[in-house]
Amino acid sequence: MTDKPSVIFVCVHNAGRSQMAAGFMSTLSGGAVEVRSAGSMPAEQINPVAVRAMAEVGIDIAAAQPQVLTPDAVRASDAVITMGCGDVCPIFPGKRYEDWVLEDPAGRGIESVRPIRDEIRGRVEALLAELLEARGA
């Protein structure tokens, strides 16, 4: 067992919100947090507007690929952050669960995605601080 906290970000298509959250967590934690993202019904590719919005703040998520949510990925994570995956997200005792109610960036232009991106960043920053504090980092 490692002292490195782990988190999984989950949304339906794993193409926008969860990928942006994973990008922020990976970058802002500097590798101090193990990061996963997945979707209950993954899309074929990452939302290009989400990629563009993240690039504007210096984070490249262009190479990310939507992944299917598996019980093993949830089991391996300390914190499970859902963003509209509903009741398909597996529940395991002893895990921290949060549901972040966020607008879906699918089908939106960059002007509409920027505020979603910025809200995700604020939530990720708060979560990161909590995870590191809980581990005594």
Side-chain angles (χ1 to χ4, degrees), residues 23-38:
F24 276 125
M25 183 62 79
S26 294
T27 300
L28 297 173
S29 75
V33 175
E34 186 177 338
V35 181
R36 298 174 185 85
S37 71

Side-chain angles (χ1 to χ4, degrees), residues 64-93:
Q65 291 294 313
Q67 302 294 315
V68 68
L69 177 65
T70 66
D72 287 343
V74 173
R75 193 177 292 114
S77 302
D78 298 314
V80 181
I81 309 302
T82 59
M83 303 170 190
C85 77
D87 59 2
V88 301
C89 198
I91 305 293
F92 293 101

Side-chain angles (χ1 to χ4, degrees), residues 18-124:
S18 56
Q19 292 288 353
M20 289 190 286
F24 276 125
M25 183 62 79
S26 294
T27 300
L28 297 173
S29 75
V33 175
E34 186 177 338
V35 181
R36 298 174 185 85
S37 71
S40 54
M41 296 184 336
E44 300 258 333
Q45 66 181 19
I46 301 297
N47 178 336
V49 180
V51 171
R52 180 175 165 205
M54 293 299 286
E56 289 180 349
V57 296
I59 298 174
D60 183 3
I61 62 169
Q65 291 294 313
Q67 302 294 315
V68 68
L69 177 65
T70 66
D72 287 343
V74 173
R75 193 177 292 114
S77 302
D78 298 314
V80 181
I81 309 302
T82 59
M83 303 170 190
C85 77
D87 59 2
V88 301
C89 198
I91 305 293
F92 293 101
K95 303 292 177 194
R96 172 184 177 163
Y97 288 88
E98 288 184 30
D99 185 41
W100 292 357
V101 178
L102 298 160
E103 294 290 324
D104 188 346
R108 295 176 184 255
I110 191 70
E111 294 295 328
S112 297
V113 173
R114 286 181 183 127
I116 298 167
R117 173 203 63 204
D118 295 344
E119 183 175 352
I120 290 170
R121 181 183 189 130
R123 289 176 185 232
V124 167

